[in-house]
């Protein structure tokens, strides 16, 4: 279930919610510190020889040991291995919270895979991916994603006692099929198999603070990321959330899985109770929320070695689309404000409503091209995918580094030291700080290899390009 609510909040309720979070949370600013407890590895999640990685549990269900089409993110129809089922008991409880600056980062924080993100671009999806696709996220707000997880344990494929040397292995029939007709083997078995199924209860929440002032943004981040997180009733985090809730400037939306017959929260007290009951819901009616898929190439009787398909373009496409869509949505909101004579935005040189409309059309054209690529490449065996039309992201559609677009947007007038006159001649330093530097810092915290994590000289180059634009006028 998911719910999006903007409401004033009573201090006692926030005290309950924060105290409850403490009872089962392991807090971190970066997902790795929490995920190390419940997952073997995150990284990019893309295949290499003998890959093993986590995937969201499919909405139509899947059996342990069943084949998996990794490039399509879908189950195969056959079980092609000999194995036996084993189970580990006991609950693990964790929570992490991080700042997100665009829709792609939000999806990644919720562990929505790149394959599912690409599908969400081109098709209707369900479950957590549908929530992440539709939840409101404004780039001008200060956005946090909180991911709470109660893991009941894992059902996993273990070596079969019926197989020589007691190993997980391809059945004789499918081993022979892989040797003589590998394309047919992939059609029936996929490239991998489901090696583990995780169940429990999961809650993803998006906390969005409506604040544009640089100094206040820093204050919010410091409060939420303070030592020990400060989630006691009188702590900095609870006080900050209380402050913004009273003025209806804090919006919370969330998606929960696990439990059976639990009421849908309609107010804050219901939200508090949903968090409080998460461990109990996991124990009483755990929900299969994630699977581990493992390449057949890791099996001892796999016939020969073949290169794994290169799926890195799916990550590039998912991130590029998510970041470009975030900028498009912000432009739409700015133009709507301008149509109502709102003076809440400040333009720099050669920036106005007309220039935004031209930029929006350019972005919309690229979004359509990215969507067409996603539609064609969501299934790699589609007959439209050929050597002449491969599943590769062209350079002009790769917008993982999106700053050339974002620096062309105006700034919120509520920022520190920004006039509300509608135009500021020497606004370039503020544009770089707001649109580039702070976003790059958040992305660097999450992943130093992110193309959106800029070196200082790259930021200086963007600043120079803005100054040259002014000088040329």
């Amino acid at each position: 279930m998911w719910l999006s609510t903007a409401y004033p909040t009573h201090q006692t309720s926030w005290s309950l919610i924060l105290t409850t979070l403490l009872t089962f949370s392991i807090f971190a600013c970066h997902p790795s510190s929490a995920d190390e407890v419940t997952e073997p590895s995150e990284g990019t999640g893309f295949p290499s020889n003998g890959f093993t990685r986590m995937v969201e549990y499919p909405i139509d269900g899947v059996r342990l040991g069943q084949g998996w089409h990794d490039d399509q993110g879908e189950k195969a129809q056959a079980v092609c291995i000999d194995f036996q089922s084993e189970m580990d008991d006991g609950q693990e409880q964790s929570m992490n919270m991080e700042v997100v600056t665009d829709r792609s980062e939000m999806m990644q924080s919720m562990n929505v895979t790149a394959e599912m993100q690409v599908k969400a671009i081109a098709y209707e999806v369900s479950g957590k991916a549908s929530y992440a696709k539709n939840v409101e996220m404004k780039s001008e707000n200060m956005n946090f994603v909180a991911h709470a997880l109660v893991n009941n344990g894992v059902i996993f494929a273990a070596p079969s006692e019926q197989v020589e040397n007691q190993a997980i292995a391809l059945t004789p029939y499918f081993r022979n099929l892989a040797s003589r007709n590998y394309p047919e083997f992939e059609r029936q078995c996929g490239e991998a198999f489901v090696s583990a199924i995780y169940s429990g209860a999961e809650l993803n929440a998006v906390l969005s603070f409506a604040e544009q002032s640089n100094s206040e943004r820093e204050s919010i981040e410091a409060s939420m990321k303070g030592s020990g997180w400060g989630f006691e009733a009188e702590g900095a985090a609870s006080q900050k959330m209380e402050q913004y809730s009273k003025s209806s400037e804090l919006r919370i939306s969330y998606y929960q899985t696990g439990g059976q017959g639990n009421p849908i929260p309609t107010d804050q007290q219901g939200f508090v109770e949903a968090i409080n009951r998460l461990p109990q819901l996991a124990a009483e009616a755990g929900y299969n929320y994630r699977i581990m898929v493992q390449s057949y190439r890791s099996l001892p009787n796999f016939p020969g070695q073949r290169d794994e398909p290169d799926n890195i373009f799916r990550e590039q496409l998912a991130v590029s689309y998510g970041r470009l869509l975030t900028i498009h949505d912000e432009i739409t909101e700015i133009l709507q404000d301008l149509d109502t004579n709102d003076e809440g935005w400040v333009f720099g040189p050669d920036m106005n409503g007309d220039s935004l409309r031209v930029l929006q059309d350019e972005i919309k054209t690229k979004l359509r091209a990215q969507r067409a690529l996603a539609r064609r490449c969501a299934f790699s065996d589609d007959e439209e995918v050929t050597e002449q039309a491969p599943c590769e992201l062209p350079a002009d559609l790769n917008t993982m580094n999106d700053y050339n677009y974002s620096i062309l947007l105006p700034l919120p007038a509520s920022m520190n030291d920004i006039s509300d006159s509608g135009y500021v001649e020497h606004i370039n330093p503020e544009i770089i700080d707001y649109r580039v530097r702070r976003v790059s810092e958040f992305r660097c915290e999450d992943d130093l290899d992110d193309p959106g994590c800029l070196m200082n000289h790259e930021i200086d180059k963007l600043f120079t390009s803005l100054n040259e634009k002014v000088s040329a006028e």
Side-chain angles (χ1 to χ4, degrees), residues 8-195:
T9 308
H10 300 293
Q11 186 170 1
T12 54
S13 296
W14 272 121
S15 299
L16 283 172
I17 204 171
L18 297 172
T19 302
T20 301
L21 286 171
L22 260 183
T23 62
F24 68 93
S25 300
I26 301 173
F27 295 103
C29 298
H30 190 280
S32 60
S33 58
D35 290 344
E36 285 170 2
V37 178
T38 58
E39 300 179 11
S41 176
E42 281 297 327
T44 62
F46 292 99
S48 57
N49 259 352
F51 69 87
T52 300
R53 64 193 188 92
M54 295 291 188
V55 178
E56 184 177 354
Y57 187 85
I59 194 67
D60 56 345
V62 68
R63 288 177 56 190
L64 186 67
Q66 192 166 351
W68 187 261
H69 293 292
D70 189 68
D71 54 353
Q72 302 173 23
E74 288 188 347
K75 64 184 178 184
Q77 296 306 309
V79 176
C80 305
I81 59 172
D82 279 321
F83 72 100
Q84 64 185 34
S85 176
E86 299 286 352
M87 181 175 182
D88 282 340
D89 296 322
Q91 283 191 347
E92 291 180 327
Q93 303 166 357
S94 66
M95 180 172 175
N96 59 62
M97 183 178 293
E98 58 183 303
V99 178
V100 295
T101 60
D102 58 63
R103 189 168 296 278
S104 173
E105 290 178 4
M106 181 182 67
M107 286 192 169
Q108 291 173 8
S109 298
M110 297 178 186
N111 292 328
V112 179
T113 63
E115 288 81 6
M116 190 58 67
Q117 289 185 52
V118 170
K119 284 192 173 185
I121 295 172
Y123 302 101
E124 288 299 319
V125 290
S126 56
K128 183 167 61 176
S130 177
Y131 161 75
K133 177 181 179 180
N134 293 296
V135 68
E136 182 181 83
M137 204 216 77
K138 297 181 178 180
S139 62
E140 68 266 24
N141 291 349
M142 190 72 174
N143 302 295
F144 294 84
V145 170
H147 179 228
L149 175 65
V150 180
N151 182 18
N152 284 337
V154 58
I155 301 173
F156 60 94
S160 172
E161 296 178 356
Q162 308 302 318
V163 176
E164 185 179 1
N165 298 327
Q166 294 191 12
I168 300 174
L170 291 171
T171 63
Y173 172 81
F174 284 109
R175 185 189 185 283
N176 291 334
L177 180 61
S179 296
R180 70 176 187 272
N181 189 348
Y182 189 74
E184 178 61 20
F185 170 84
E186 278 198 338
R187 189 185 72 81
Q188 296 188 39
C189 301
E191 302 82 30
F193 64 94
V194 178
S195 62

Side-chain angles (χ1 to χ4, degrees), residues 13 55 237 248 305 352 366 388 403 416 469:
S13 296
V55 178
S248 298
Q305 293 294 321
N352 52 45
K366 291 198 173 186
Q388 290 72 35
Y403 301 108
N416 295 346
K469 183 178 179 182

Side-chain angles (χ1 to χ4, degrees), residues 310-451:
D310 181 11
N311 290 336
I312 193 64
F313 93 95
R314 285 185 171 82
E315 180 188 22
Q316 296 174 341
L317 176 56
V319 174
S320 295
Y321 184 87
R323 290 179 177 173
L324 209 56
L325 181 63
T326 301
I327 295 175
H328 174 274
D329 290 347
E330 184 171 359
I331 293 176
T332 299
E333 183 172 347
I334 294 171
L335 290 175
Q336 289 173 347
D337 289 345
L338 295 177
D339 288 340
T340 58
N341 297 317
D342 190 325
E343 296 183 352
W345 299 95
V346 181
F347 290 85
D350 201 31
M351 294 182 185
N352 52 45
D354 290 338
S355 67
L356 281 183
R357 291 182 179 89
V358 172
L359 180 62
Q360 187 181 45
D361 285 346
E362 179 182 342
I363 291 175
K364 192 174 296 181
T365 299
K366 291 198 173 186
L367 287 173
R368 287 176 175 173
Q370 289 173 344
R371 183 165 183 163
L373 182 62
R375 186 177 292 112
R376 181 169 61 84
C377 293
F379 304 98
S380 67
D381 58 355
D382 192 297
E383 58 187 27
E384 292 183 4
V385 179
T386 64
E387 291 184 3
Q388 290 72 35
C391 285
E392 296 177 355
L393 189 63
D396 65 322
L397 295 183
N398 189 331
T399 51
M400 295 178 72
N401 186 333
D402 55 349
Y403 301 108
N404 285 329
Y405 293 103
S406 63
I407 61 176
L408 301 179
L409 273 58
L411 297 182
S414 57
M415 284 180 55
N416 295 346
D417 303 324
I418 295 294
S419 167
D420 61 358
S421 63
Y423 172 82
V424 174
E425 182 177 0
H426 303 292
I427 198 176
N428 290 350
E430 286 79 9
I431 290 177
I432 294 298
D433 284 341
Y434 184 83
R435 297 288 183 190
V436 180
R437 198 180 307 279
R438 71 177 186 87
V439 176
S440 176
E441 288 173 355
F442 289 134
R443 290 173 177 174
C444 291
E445 287 180 9
D446 187 58
D447 184 3
L448 285 172
D449 292 326
D450 187 334

